[in-house]
Amino acid sequence: MDLFLQQLANGVALGAVYAMFAIGFGLVFATMGILNVSHGTYATWGAIAALALLERDVPFVGALVGGVLAAGAIGVVVDRLAFEPLRRRGVGMLGSIITSIGAWIILGDLAQEATDAQARSFPSGSFPSGFVEVGGVRLGYPQLLNILVAAALVVGMHLVLTRTRLGGAIRAVGYDAAAASLSGVNPRLIIALTALLAGGVAGLAGVLSALSTNNVSFTMGEGLLLKGFAAVVVGGFGDVRGAALGGLIIGVSEVLGAQYISNDFRDAITFGLLVLFLVAMPRGIIGEREVRRA
Amino acid sequence: MSGAEATATGRAAGRVDGTNGAPALSTRSLTMVFGGLRAVDGLDLDVPAGSIFGIMGPNGAGKTTVLNLVTGLLKPSAGTIRILGTEVAGARPDRIAALGVARTYQNVRLFPGLTVLETVVTGMHRHRRSTALGAVACLPSERRERRAAEERARELLRRVGVTARPEQLAETLAYGEQRRLEIARALASRPKLLVLDEPTAGMNPVESAAIGDLIRSLNGEGLTVLLIEHNIRLVLEYCTDAAVLDFGRLLVTGDPRTCVDDPRVREAYFGKESDADGQEPLGELRRDPGRP
Amino acid sequence: MPAFLSSSYETTLEFAIVSALFALAVYVAVWAGLLSLTPIALGAVGGFTYAAVQTDHGIGLPAALALGAALGALVSLLLSTFLLRLATHYVAMATIAVVLIGRVVVLNLDVTGGAAGTGLVRRSTTGSLLLVLALVCWVLARLRRARLGLAVETVREDPVVAAALGIDVRRVQRAMFCLSGAIGGIAGVLEADLLQYIGPNTYYVDLGFVTLAAVVLGGAYHWLGPVVGALVFAFLPELLGEVMDSGENIANGVLLILIMIYLPRGLVDPARVLAWRSRLATWLPRRAAGERAITEAVVER
């Protein structure tokens, strides 16, 4: 039973990172109708930026913020260069998937060059090492950080999206940009802010993932992308809470599956769930309104 | 030949297709509900075999919805539809097409990227004997079949009066030609029942009359034609039977003249006498259908 | 091989041919209106089967290709039973899921070598690769405006109208899905043969994305498009690498974005060609009988 609870906790900590990533990825899909293949690279670059700062003795908080800002900036740049021109020309969803693949190629290759194709890790001592014991379950400080940050993020994002004018504007633009602009919303600004937000959150996921797994590599974002994608399908696209729930489910089932079935099978459960939901409940657990095209 | 005589001849010549008097199309209590809207409401309609049947009615009366139900693009909320003797309510569009039904659309729906000739050939799909393997192997029988299909397509284009080059992209044709091309594509499937949704929309009187003549000529060969038409003059001139719909319900059906003269129809189009403000376009029509 | 083709370009050409086959496989599904990455997964089926029969039974390349095609078609048929029921948005995602699961299957089966992968002996030559590509292109060219090809076109452009013409939309989609799988199987066999080693990451989503990009870049409206797209993707970085020290790989990414903005239908677009030919026909009076009428019309104006 102790082992089960421990692995459950580990699953929750892992799921927290997936949830963070899924929130950003799902936000872009739900509000802009874009399936952004390059979203994983934002996470990679967030981690790379944080690494660069840590290696220059910037304290962890600073490095974290730096990573988030870097990833957010990249998100905005990609949106301006790869998606905005398509929106202006009324090109559909397939077009934005293709340009996102273009951005993925570019950012991935640049990341490979930046890291010299070597797997690195944050300098030891960047973050306090140690454990917390709660009811027979042990969580490392990074794991605890993941859970706390994810929880804060979910609550915060949900409140922003549902209770603030900015959030209302984001959802309005996602639903119908033309109608939103008639109500005094500036769609271009809102879309840029959404891209910034989504990118920044990806960067956050990237830095925390690098911290927990002790690994910064140019391919780390890909794993997050796929798990985030699965999380959004399972949990539901349009709602931040759905992404979070999906992330948790994926994380927990992955860890428990690895423990009780086999390590080689951890991805099988994730993707099996993905297929199951696509076939049976494509809107996800927290089902959403129709997904709108960009 | 005056309009009335031509209509009578058409009616006599039309009813020869040997379905022993059974209607080409027959609906009972046909109903279509969209959310809170009853687009079609308990419609009982009979389209006699071999007729040229005109459906009229103000905008929003449910006419195109009826066509969509009859051709299988929509599944009815309730009611039955019999086409050429077979019950088809809710059947898939390709099953209904297989019974010998072909149609055109309110907004022309041609396939982008296909040429004029290819467009007509797509209509022949059901009847063609070509096989994929034969095409890949370049069999002479394939080449013959294809040439025969293309030749028949050219004939159809001549028949409906499309003068554009067959290799031209269908979407580059002038509007009137596109509508004719759509008819040619529909005819390519050798239908027994041809359903036309506002075939003369946006056309001038000369073009409209040409379409009317085409319809009459097709009907003379035994084809039952069901059409939605806003041009009441056209209906009076060419149709053997008519029906008027409003709010999804049947107001009146039967002889076109009788339909047009019915006071309920006038009310549906123009409102009550007291609303009319002295305007009497329909009244003028009744008095003198020949006026341009 | 001609002497001027240096051996590194020859290798690039060979991989470009296999890429082109994967691209053609994806194109065939897109041709019927289905965005599908399953050819990658079926490539895995073909490739690992080839690896298995190579060692166990010493089966030659042509038989392996036939086997790959048959398995690709068969597995596609099975997948189509549930994939084709999904609404369009979700088909694409489900096919990504199929590829993801494919990797997990490869990881966990003994016959595929698990995480370590499996090795092969190369049996193909540049010539035989070109031959296979030419054959696949031939089949697609023959089908393009045959009865089936026209039906596929209608299903993609307007399935509602296609059905009203009596075309069985589901059946056409299924047929193209299976053809796509067969070509994917063939591509997978040749990929395995070229690489001489395949593992769980060989047939994965990154290959899928790059293949999809090649299809759209080259043009998804004619079978020549994916071939051109694959060639461009393979050779552009090679050629740029001659003049650049680094960063030549991002060229493909930049090109993708530029093409989608300025030439969204891709490099090879039959509509563009037809439109130009029409324009030419009206402005250049020609002696051919058919053109005379048009000439007269122009003169009259």
Side-chain angles (χ1 to χ4, degrees):
Chain A
M1 190 54 180
D2 281 342
L3 181 60
F4 176 76
L5 283 176
Q6 177 64 53
Q7 291 295 50
L8 190 65
N10 288 340
V12 168
L14 180 63
V17 177
Y18 292 160
M20 280 185 265
F21 186 85
I23 287 172
F25 182 72
L27 187 67
V28 168
F29 190 51
T31 61
M32 303 199 272
I34 297 170
L35 205 66
N36 186 1
V37 168
S38 68
H39 208 91
T41 63
Y42 303 169
T44 306
W45 274 100
I48 291 176
L51 177 66
L53 290 172
L54 285 170
E55 286 179 341
R56 283 155 186 72
D57 294 326
V58 174
F60 185 78
V61 175
L64 180 63
V65 170
V68 169
L69 289 176
I74 292 176
V76 176
V77 168
V78 169
D79 185 79
R80 289 296 106 175
L81 293 178
F83 303 137
E84 175 70 18
L86 297 186
R87 277 192 291 264
R88 260 187 281 134
R89 287 166 174 75
V91 177
M93 195 191 185
L94 176 63
S96 53
I97 293 180
I98 300 301
T99 54
S100 78
I101 294 177
W104 169 69
I105 291 175
I106 296 173
L107 289 169
D109 190 66
L110 289 175
Q112 190 172 354
E113 308 242 341
T115 60
D116 271 326
Q118 306 269 20
R120 316 265 293 281
S121 54
F122 289 159
S124 53
S126 350
F127 194 79
S129 61
F131 295 91
V132 155
E133 284 241 19
V134 179
V137 163
R138 234 185 197 194
L139 282 175
Y141 285 154
Q143 288 181 301
L144 196 58
L145 184 65
N146 289 346
I147 296 175
L148 292 173
V149 171
L153 186 67
V154 173
V155 171
M157 284 283 291
H158 183 69
L159 288 176
V160 166
L161 284 174
T162 54
R163 300 286 168 87
T164 67
R165 287 187 60 201
L166 174 66
I170 289 177
R171 286 183 300 141
V173 168
Y175 212 67
D176 188 337
S181 79
L182 287 175
S183 315
V185 170
N186 182 345
R188 290 194 65 199
L189 180 63
I190 294 294
I191 287 175
L193 279 174
T194 310
L196 179 68
L197 198 57
V201 171
L204 183 64
V207 175
L208 292 178
S209 170
L211 180 66
S212 324
T213 59
N214 214 17
N215 169 48
V216 178
S217 80
F218 71 98
T219 57
M220 61 180 287
E222 302 320 304
L224 281 177
L225 177 70
L226 296 173
K227 298 294 167 55
F229 171 59
V232 171
V233 169
V234 168
F237 278 98
D239 198 319
V240 160
R241 295 167 301 176
L245 182 62
L248 272 181
I249 293 176
I250 300 287
V252 168
S253 57
E254 186 180 318
V255 172
L256 290 180
Q259 175 68 49
Y260 292 108
I261 305 179
S262 113
N263 203 29
D264 283 337
F265 251 78
R266 42 192 319 153
D267 287 352
I269 301 187
T270 305
F271 300 136
L273 276 173
L274 172 60
V275 173
L276 192 67
F277 270 82
L278 275 176
V279 173
M281 212 191 305
R283 298 274 188 87
I285 293 178
I286 303 190
E288 243 300 315
R289 53 187 159 82
E290 262 289 289
V291 165
R292 307 288 295 179
R293 294 180 166 213
Chain B
M1 197 189 276
S2 85
E5 283 168 24
T7 312
T9 317
R11 205 181 296 141
R15 315 253 174 103
V16 293
D17 75 324
T19 57
N20 50 46
L25 167 71
S26 169
T27 75
R28 289 289 174 270
S29 307
L30 187 60
T31 303
M32 188 70 212
V33 180
F34 292 117
L37 174 72
R38 294 190 90 94
V40 178
D41 195 359
L43 184 70
D44 289 350
L45 191 69
D46 283 299
V47 176
S51 63
I52 302 178
F53 196 101
I55 294 186
M56 301 178 281
N59 282 325
K63 310 186 292 294
T64 298
T65 309
V66 171
L67 255 57
N68 287 341
L69 286 166
V70 156
T71 52
L73 268 59
L74 283 176
K75 210 169 129 76
S77 311
T80 66
I81 305 173
R82 282 192 95 81
I83 295 185
L84 301 162
T86 311
E87 174 57 46
V88 297
R92 272 176 23 202
D94 52 304
R95 300 277 163 81
I96 295 180
L99 291 171
V101 180
R103 70 170 290 180
T104 64
Y105 301 84
Q106 194 172 8
N107 298 315
V108 173
R109 280 169 90 158
L110 295 175
F111 301 116
L114 292 188
T115 65
V116 166
L117 192 68
E118 286 164 353
T119 303
V120 181
V121 174
T122 61
M124 296 176 187
H125 181 94
R126 245 185 1 105
H127 295 285
R128 288 182 68 183
R129 292 276 140 259
S130 148
T131 62
L133 244 55
V136 170
C138 264
L139 295 180
S141 59
E142 273 300 312
R143 269 177 283 161
R144 260 178 281 139
E145 192 273 346
R146 184 145 163 193
R147 250 176 287 143
E150 288 179 356
E151 192 43 53
R152 179 155 175 263
R154 283 179 221 272
E155 272 170 40
L156 279 169
L157 288 169
R158 275 191 289 269
R159 177 87 196 268
V160 305
V162 169
T163 55
R165 277 168 42 249
E167 299 75 42
Q168 219 177 309
L169 274 182
E171 66 230 52
T172 60
L173 258 54
Y175 173 76
E177 292 250 290
Q178 284 190 346
R179 282 211 166 263
R180 289 166 189 276
L181 178 57
E182 225 192 15
I183 295 176
R185 180 180 69 184
L187 290 175
S189 62
R190 296 186 218 265
K192 301 200 186 77
L193 170 63
L194 181 65
V195 178
L196 304 174
D197 198 340
E198 300 192 35
T200 66
M203 289 187 185
N204 64 44
V206 172
E207 289 174 313
S208 300
I211 296 287
D213 291 334
L214 172 64
I215 291 175
R216 187 181 284 148
S217 135
L218 291 168
N219 177 254
E221 291 164 12
L223 187 58
T224 308
V225 181
L226 170 64
L227 60 148
I228 291 179
E229 248 317 326
H230 277 297
N231 185 338
I232 297 178
R233 227 167 260 116
L234 202 85
V235 173
L236 288 173
E237 169 84 15
Y238 292 100
C239 290
T240 61
D241 301 80
V244 182
L245 264 51
D246 196 20
F247 291 115
R249 290 192 214 109
L250 183 67
L251 275 191
V252 58
T253 183
D255 177 70
R257 172 100 291 188
T258 319
C259 288
V260 168
D261 284 344
D262 193 305
R264 288 174 294 170
V265 170
R266 188 208 149 97
E267 193 178 310
Y269 271 100
F270 301 110
K272 289 199 172 40
E273 188 78 44
S274 52
D275 301 340
D277 262 1
Q279 295 272 29
E280 267 214 339
L282 197 53
E284 282 168 7
L285 263 178
R286 282 192 217 133
R287 285 189 288 269
D288 184 1
R291 260 176 63 170
Chain C
M1 280 308 296
F4 66 83
L5 220 57
S6 84
S7 89
S8 104
Y9 277 123
E10 188 171 336
T11 316
T12 308
L13 177 64
E14 291 175 335
F15 279 103
I17 292 172
V18 177
S19 288
L21 284 167
F22 272 117
L24 283 168
V26 169
Y27 160 75
V28 167
V30 171
W31 190 20
L34 300 166
L35 187 58
S36 166
L37 292 187
T38 49
I40 308 300
L42 295 156
V45 169
F48 282 102
T49 308
Y50 177 44
V53 299
Q54 227 194 25
T55 46
D56 294 349
H57 306 276
I59 289 185
L61 188 60
L65 287 170
L67 187 58
L71 283 174
L74 192 62
V75 175
S76 288
L77 188 62
L78 290 169
L79 289 173
S80 73
T81 54
F82 77 88
L83 279 176
L84 291 183
R85 287 178 207 276
L86 299 177
T88 19
H89 278 359
Y90 299 114
V91 171
M93 293 195 257
T95 64
I96 295 177
V98 168
V99 175
L100 294 174
I101 293 184
R103 175 174 183 271
V104 174
V105 169
V106 168
L107 258 180
N108 286 285
L109 286 179
D110 280 330
V111 60
T112 59
T118 173
L120 296 105
V121 173
R122 173 137 185 219
R123 298 270 171 77
S124 64
T125 63
T126 316
S128 56
L129 290 170
L130 279 168
L131 183 62
V132 174
L133 180 64
L135 278 172
V136 173
C137 289
W138 165 264
V139 169
L140 295 180
R142 297 303 314 154
L143 285 179
R144 183 167 177 260
R145 287 300 186 250
R147 176 175 178 256
L148 179 59
L150 283 176
V152 175
E153 206 64 53
T154 66
V155 163
R156 171 199 200 158
E157 294 295 350
D158 200 336
V160 168
V161 173
L165 288 175
I167 294 171
D168 188 339
V169 169
R170 200 55 113 224
R171 198 146 165 250
V172 169
Q173 286 178 327
R174 194 171 299 128
M176 287 301 106
F177 201 69
C178 291
L179 180 59
S180 157
I183 301 175
I186 290 173
V189 168
L190 292 175
E191 173 94 336
D193 190 84
L194 262 188
L195 286 173
Q196 293 166 74
Y197 159 79
I198 52 177
N201 291 323
T202 311
Y203 304 98
Y204 203 38
V205 281
D206 47 338
L207 178 60
F209 291 142
V210 170
T211 305
L212 178 62
V215 173
V216 179
L217 172 82
Y221 293 92
H222 192 287
W223 57 263
L224 194 55
V227 176
V228 167
L231 285 171
V232 168
F233 257 29
F235 279 101
L236 185 62
E238 277 292 311
L239 294 170
L240 283 179
E242 304 275 353
V243 295
M244 291 165 71
D245 273 332
S246 71
E248 67 269 14
N249 288 312
I250 71 172
N252 284 343
V254 173
L255 187 61
L256 269 178
I257 295 177
L258 289 174
I259 290 287
M260 285 317 296
I261 294 174
Y262 297 108
L263 277 179
R265 286 173 61 103
L267 293 169
V268 176
D269 180 9
R272 205 187 308 140
V273 171
L274 263 170
W276 271 104
R277 237 192 268 160
S278 279
R279 244 175 272 171
L280 238 64
T282 12
W283 286 108
L284 293 181
R286 283 177 33 199
R287 300 281 165 189
E291 311 303 310
R292 202 156 291 154
I294 299 167
T295 314
E296 282 163 22
V298 171
V299 167
E300 241 172 277
R301 249 188 254 124

